[in-house]
Amino acid sequence: MAKQDYYETLGINKGASEEEIKKAYRQAAKKHHPDNNPGDEGAAARFSAASEAYEALSDPDKRARYDRFGHTQQGGGGGGYGGGFRGTGFDDLEEILRGMAGGFGGFGGRGGGGRRGPARGNDVEATITVDFMDAVKGGERDIELSIKDICDSCKGSGVKAGTVAENCGGCGGSGQVRQTMQTILGYMETTTACKTCRGTGKIIREKCAPCGGRGKVAKPRTIVVKIPKGIENGQHIKYTGQGEAGEIGTPRGDLYIRIMVSPHKVFKRKGIHVFMEKNISFAQATLGAELTIETPYGDEKHTIQPGTQPETTVTLKGKGMPLLNAPSRSGDLLVTLKLVVPKTINDSQKELLRQFASEGGEDLENIDNGKKGFFGKRKK
């Protein structure tokens, strides 16, 4: 059977640089390594083919011969591309494999044993919604969750009371199996989790009824969530060791509470600052006034000066959101003043407005794009 072209094996073109070749090999080796493909008998062959292609293309001399003669190597120095490990190709290949060894089950003679051991408990995430003012002042909230915990009946073993689990015959109770394959580096030994017992090393013949042999059951639990001042919408609070129980002898997972903050009818938050609008009348804007402004911490008095213009922004220092993890510091409250024009007024008010306009030199004869309005008609 004809060999696949080395460039095709690594998924690169013939003009690829040394760095591109090395990167392509890393990806191919990780993808096809037997430890990452349990049960796939062809993975070892694909891994070996990628290693052979890299060993040939990473060496300039071997690559030049291959580009000229292909797999036949006519005119070459004999011995095949994988026959000797001289030059830079082998050094780089060994370095790449050594760097990836930590992510696989382990190479024979280089630290061996790749058993990952019992797994810790899974993390749990829950979401609660709090009021805007809870995010300002902090607080507590009791929530009810159902979290997997150790089964009281079997104490986490998954075995029916009065029976015991047997050692797995596939791995001899170790939970792992070793495989040896030949590569261009020689023989390489890998370790994978036993498929028969799923890495536990035990076979349960009679399962615990309450947990179905899983060793864990869902149990209700009350969690007291402490809401910190200044928390933002969508942030999480982490409770270490409050998640699901792990396998026997392993720690619990963690609990993450996601906080959703309800919008406020008056305040809008941007970071640690809070924004709002405050309506004022024409008289207040013109003459000045003392305003009562609602803040997240209660009402505040603020004086605006005569001649205050619409859309003026008033800043109340320290009346915004507390800084998370440093609640003694707070942002500001920024208040935009909105001029409110009355929709209806009585005759006396109209006359006063005419006098005001006349004193200011305003022409009320023609309004609304030249059409005579109410004031113009009244005057005539």
mmCIF file of all heavy atoms in Angstrom, residues 353-355 357-358 361-380:
data_model
loop_
_atom_site.group_PDB
_atom_site.id
_atom_site.type_symbol
_atom_site.label_atom_id
_atom_site.label_comp_id
_atom_site.label_asym_id
_atom_site.label_seq_id
_atom_site.Cartn_x
_atom_site.Cartn_y
_atom_site.Cartn_z
ATOM 1 N N LEU A 353 -47.084 85.132 31.213
ATOM 2 C CA LEU A 353 -46.065 84.717 30.252
ATOM 3 C C LEU A 353 -45.929 85.720 29.112
ATOM 4 O O LEU A 353 -44.829 85.977 28.615
ATOM 5 C CB LEU A 353 -46.404 83.337 29.696
ATOM 6 C CG LEU A 353 -46.076 82.143 30.606
ATOM 7 C CD1 LEU A 353 -46.569 80.846 29.990
ATOM 8 C CD2 LEU A 353 -44.559 82.068 30.848
ATOM 9 N N ARG A 354 -47.075 86.319 28.710
ATOM 10 C CA ARG A 354 -47.001 87.337 27.663
ATOM 11 C C ARG A 354 -46.198 88.545 28.139
ATOM 12 O O ARG A 354 -45.372 89.097 27.409
ATOM 13 C CB ARG A 354 -48.415 87.788 27.280
ATOM 14 C CG ARG A 354 -49.203 86.769 26.515
ATOM 15 C CD ARG A 354 -50.460 87.393 25.907
ATOM 16 N NE ARG A 354 -51.427 86.341 25.598
ATOM 17 C CZ ARG A 354 -52.391 85.975 26.419
ATOM 18 N NH1 ARG A 354 -52.529 86.595 27.584
ATOM 19 N NH2 ARG A 354 -53.217 85.013 26.073
ATOM 20 N N GLN A 355 -46.445 88.926 29.375
ATOM 21 C CA GLN A 355 -45.696 90.056 29.934
ATOM 22 C C GLN A 355 -44.214 89.729 30.022
ATOM 23 O O GLN A 355 -43.369 90.563 29.698
ATOM 24 C CB GLN A 355 -46.254 90.409 31.314
ATOM 25 C CG GLN A 355 -47.675 90.929 31.299
ATOM 26 C CD GLN A 355 -48.196 91.213 32.699
ATOM 27 O OE1 GLN A 355 -47.440 91.326 33.648
ATOM 28 N NE2 GLN A 355 -49.533 91.309 32.823
ATOM 29 N N ALA A 357 -42.575 87.588 28.146
ATOM 30 C CA ALA A 357 -42.011 87.568 26.801
ATOM 31 C C ALA A 357 -41.831 88.983 26.263
ATOM 32 O O ALA A 357 -40.829 89.295 25.615
ATOM 33 C CB ALA A 357 -42.912 86.757 25.871
ATOM 34 N N SER A 358 -42.816 89.848 26.545
ATOM 35 C CA SER A 358 -42.729 91.222 26.068
ATOM 36 C C SER A 358 -41.552 91.945 26.691
ATOM 37 O O SER A 358 -40.832 92.678 26.019
ATOM 38 C CB SER A 358 -44.036 91.959 26.375
ATOM 39 O OG SER A 358 -43.961 93.306 25.972
ATOM 40 N N GLY A 361 -38.441 91.145 24.960
ATOM 41 C CA GLY A 361 -38.327 91.506 23.549
ATOM 42 C C GLY A 361 -38.769 90.406 22.607
ATOM 43 O O GLY A 361 -38.468 90.461 21.405
ATOM 44 N N GLU A 362 -39.484 89.413 23.067
ATOM 45 C CA GLU A 362 -39.936 88.320 22.202
ATOM 46 C C GLU A 362 -41.158 88.748 21.411
ATOM 47 O O GLU A 362 -41.998 89.502 21.901
ATOM 48 C CB GLU A 362 -40.272 87.089 23.028
ATOM 49 C CG GLU A 362 -39.067 86.460 23.707
ATOM 50 C CD GLU A 362 -39.444 85.175 24.443
ATOM 51 O OE1 GLU A 362 -40.113 84.330 23.814
ATOM 52 O OE2 GLU A 362 -39.095 85.039 25.622
ATOM 53 N N ASP A 363 -41.281 88.259 20.182
ATOM 54 C CA ASP A 363 -42.410 88.559 19.313
ATOM 55 C C ASP A 363 -43.366 87.373 19.333
ATOM 56 O O ASP A 363 -43.039 86.290 18.857
ATOM 57 C CB ASP A 363 -41.918 88.807 17.888
ATOM 58 C CG ASP A 363 -43.057 89.149 16.945
ATOM 59 O OD1 ASP A 363 -44.181 89.403 17.446
ATOM 60 O OD2 ASP A 363 -42.825 89.150 15.724
ATOM 61 N N LEU A 364 -44.532 87.563 19.873
ATOM 62 C CA LEU A 364 -45.525 86.498 19.945
ATOM 63 C C LEU A 364 -46.557 86.597 18.832
ATOM 64 O O LEU A 364 -47.543 85.863 18.812
ATOM 65 C CB LEU A 364 -46.237 86.535 21.299
ATOM 66 C CG LEU A 364 -45.362 86.303 22.530
ATOM 67 C CD1 LEU A 364 -46.213 86.317 23.787
ATOM 68 C CD2 LEU A 364 -44.617 84.981 22.417
ATOM 69 N N GLU A 365 -46.361 87.577 17.886
ATOM 70 C CA GLU A 365 -47.305 87.724 16.791
ATOM 71 C C GLU A 365 -47.352 86.466 15.939
ATOM 72 O O GLU A 365 -48.416 85.982 15.580
ATOM 73 C CB GLU A 365 -46.904 88.929 15.913
ATOM 74 C CG GLU A 365 -47.235 90.260 16.524
ATOM 75 C CD GLU A 365 -48.731 90.519 16.517
ATOM 76 O OE1 GLU A 365 -49.432 89.909 15.679
ATOM 77 O OE2 GLU A 365 -49.198 91.285 17.358
ATOM 78 N N ASN A 366 -46.193 85.968 15.560
ATOM 79 C CA ASN A 366 -46.129 84.825 14.659
ATOM 80 C C ASN A 366 -45.335 83.696 15.323
ATOM 81 O O ASN A 366 -44.160 83.861 15.647
ATOM 82 C CB ASN A 366 -45.445 85.204 13.346
ATOM 83 C CG ASN A 366 -46.226 86.264 12.603
ATOM 84 O OD1 ASN A 366 -47.407 86.078 12.315
ATOM 85 N ND2 ASN A 366 -45.570 87.381 12.333
ATOM 86 N N ILE A 367 -45.991 82.604 15.522
ATOM 87 C CA ILE A 367 -45.346 81.422 16.074
ATOM 88 C C ILE A 367 -45.742 80.218 15.231
ATOM 89 O O ILE A 367 -46.621 80.321 14.361
ATOM 90 C CB ILE A 367 -45.745 81.194 17.542
ATOM 91 C CG1 ILE A 367 -47.254 80.961 17.644
ATOM 92 C CG2 ILE A 367 -45.301 82.326 18.426
ATOM 93 C CD1 ILE A 367 -47.693 80.573 19.049
ATOM 94 N N ASP A 368 -45.091 79.084 15.473
ATOM 95 C CA ASP A 368 -45.393 77.841 14.753
ATOM 96 C C ASP A 368 -45.220 78.023 13.244
ATOM 97 O O ASP A 368 -46.159 77.910 12.458
ATOM 98 C CB ASP A 368 -46.818 77.368 15.068
ATOM 99 C CG ASP A 368 -47.060 75.938 14.580
ATOM 100 O OD1 ASP A 368 -46.058 75.239 14.326
ATOM 101 O OD2 ASP A 368 -48.230 75.545 14.463
ATOM 102 N N ASN A 369 -43.965 78.379 12.838
ATOM 103 C CA ASN A 369 -43.602 78.516 11.423
ATOM 104 C C ASN A 369 -44.427 79.566 10.682
ATOM 105 O O ASN A 369 -44.856 79.374 9.547
ATOM 106 C CB ASN A 369 -43.731 77.174 10.684
ATOM 107 C CG ASN A 369 -42.749 76.156 11.205
ATOM 108 O OD1 ASN A 369 -41.641 76.510 11.582
ATOM 109 N ND2 ASN A 369 -43.168 74.898 11.219
ATOM 110 N N GLY A 370 -44.694 80.716 11.354
ATOM 111 C CA GLY A 370 -45.348 81.832 10.689
ATOM 112 C C GLY A 370 -46.852 81.851 10.811
ATOM 113 O O GLY A 370 -47.501 82.818 10.432
ATOM 114 N N LYS A 371 -47.463 80.790 11.308
ATOM 115 C CA LYS A 371 -48.905 80.760 11.467
ATOM 116 C C LYS A 371 -49.298 81.482 12.743
ATOM 117 O O LYS A 371 -48.636 81.322 13.765
ATOM 118 C CB LYS A 371 -49.426 79.335 11.503
ATOM 119 C CG LYS A 371 -49.168 78.574 10.204
ATOM 120 C CD LYS A 371 -49.707 77.165 10.307
ATOM 121 C CE LYS A 371 -49.442 76.405 9.018
ATOM 122 N NZ LYS A 371 -49.943 75.012 9.105
ATOM 123 N N LYS A 372 -50.367 82.224 12.694
ATOM 124 C CA LYS A 372 -50.815 82.935 13.880
ATOM 125 C C LYS A 372 -51.386 81.951 14.880
ATOM 126 O O LYS A 372 -52.264 81.167 14.558
ATOM 127 C CB LYS A 372 -51.873 83.982 13.518
ATOM 128 C CG LYS A 372 -51.303 85.146 12.754
ATOM 129 C CD LYS A 372 -52.347 86.201 12.529
ATOM 130 C CE LYS A 372 -51.751 87.405 11.804
ATOM 131 N NZ LYS A 372 -52.753 88.468 11.588
ATOM 132 N N GLY A 373 -50.865 82.026 16.073
ATOM 133 C CA GLY A 373 -51.317 81.115 17.102
ATOM 134 C C GLY A 373 -52.263 81.778 18.071
ATOM 135 O O GLY A 373 -52.787 82.852 17.830
ATOM 136 N N PHE A 374 -52.414 81.152 19.191
ATOM 137 C CA PHE A 374 -53.372 81.593 20.195
ATOM 138 C C PHE A 374 -53.024 82.979 20.712
ATOM 139 O O PHE A 374 -53.875 83.845 20.818
ATOM 140 C CB PHE A 374 -53.379 80.587 21.342
ATOM 141 C CG PHE A 374 -54.249 80.999 22.490
ATOM 142 C CD1 PHE A 374 -55.630 80.841 22.417
ATOM 143 C CD2 PHE A 374 -53.689 81.561 23.634
ATOM 144 C CE1 PHE A 374 -56.419 81.216 23.475
ATOM 145 C CE2 PHE A 374 -54.489 81.943 24.679
ATOM 146 C CZ PHE A 374 -55.854 81.764 24.610
ATOM 147 N N PHE A 375 -51.695 83.161 21.023
ATOM 148 C CA PHE A 375 -51.307 84.459 21.592
ATOM 149 C C PHE A 375 -51.517 85.589 20.572
ATOM 150 O O PHE A 375 -51.956 86.686 20.902
ATOM 151 C CB PHE A 375 -49.855 84.422 22.027
ATOM 152 C CG PHE A 375 -49.636 83.530 23.225
ATOM 153 C CD1 PHE A 375 -48.521 82.687 23.298
ATOM 154 C CD2 PHE A 375 -50.546 83.524 24.271
ATOM 155 C CE1 PHE A 375 -48.329 81.884 24.378
ATOM 156 C CE2 PHE A 375 -50.337 82.704 25.367
ATOM 157 C CZ PHE A 375 -49.216 81.863 25.427
ATOM 158 N N GLY A 376 -51.209 85.291 19.307
ATOM 159 C CA GLY A 376 -51.392 86.317 18.289
ATOM 160 C C GLY A 376 -52.849 86.713 18.137
ATOM 161 O O GLY A 376 -53.200 87.883 17.995
ATOM 162 N N LYS A 377 -53.733 85.747 18.128
ATOM 163 C CA LYS A 377 -55.161 86.027 18.007
ATOM 164 C C LYS A 377 -55.672 86.826 19.180
ATOM 165 O O LYS A 377 -56.463 87.748 19.039
ATOM 166 C CB LYS A 377 -55.940 84.711 17.869
ATOM 167 C CG LYS A 377 -55.636 83.972 16.577
ATOM 168 C CD LYS A 377 -56.379 82.649 16.508
ATOM 169 C CE LYS A 377 -56.058 81.905 15.243
ATOM 170 N NZ LYS A 377 -56.744 80.595 15.194
ATOM 171 N N ARG A 378 -55.234 86.479 20.372
ATOM 172 C CA ARG A 378 -55.701 87.173 21.580
ATOM 173 C C ARG A 378 -55.285 88.633 21.557
ATOM 174 O O ARG A 378 -56.019 89.522 21.937
ATOM 175 C CB ARG A 378 -55.163 86.496 22.846
ATOM 176 C CG ARG A 378 -55.888 85.233 23.228
ATOM 177 C CD ARG A 378 -57.317 85.560 23.729
ATOM 178 N NE ARG A 378 -57.270 86.433 24.851
ATOM 179 C CZ ARG A 378 -57.267 86.044 26.111
ATOM 180 N NH1 ARG A 378 -57.317 84.747 26.383
ATOM 181 N NH2 ARG A 378 -57.253 86.906 27.107
ATOM 182 N N LYS A 379 -54.035 88.857 21.097
ATOM 183 C CA LYS A 379 -53.513 90.215 21.090
ATOM 184 C C LYS A 379 -54.309 91.095 20.140
ATOM 185 O O LYS A 379 -54.655 92.221 20.409
ATOM 186 C CB LYS A 379 -52.031 90.240 20.733
ATOM 187 C CG LYS A 379 -51.402 91.623 20.873
ATOM 188 C CD LYS A 379 -49.902 91.558 20.697
ATOM 189 C CE LYS A 379 -49.300 92.930 20.887
ATOM 190 N NZ LYS A 379 -47.837 92.931 20.703
ATOM 191 N N LYS A 380 -54.673 90.543 18.951
ATOM 192 C CA LYS A 380 -55.447 91.303 17.979
ATOM 193 C C LYS A 380 -56.862 91.547 18.432
ATOM 194 O O LYS A 380 -57.467 92.553 18.161
ATOM 195 C CB LYS A 380 -55.447 90.589 16.636
ATOM 196 C CG LYS A 380 -54.106 90.722 15.904
ATOM 197 C CD LYS A 380 -54.227 90.293 14.453
ATOM 198 C CE LYS A 380 -52.913 90.567 13.712
ATOM 199 N NZ LYS A 380 -53.010 90.257 12.283
#
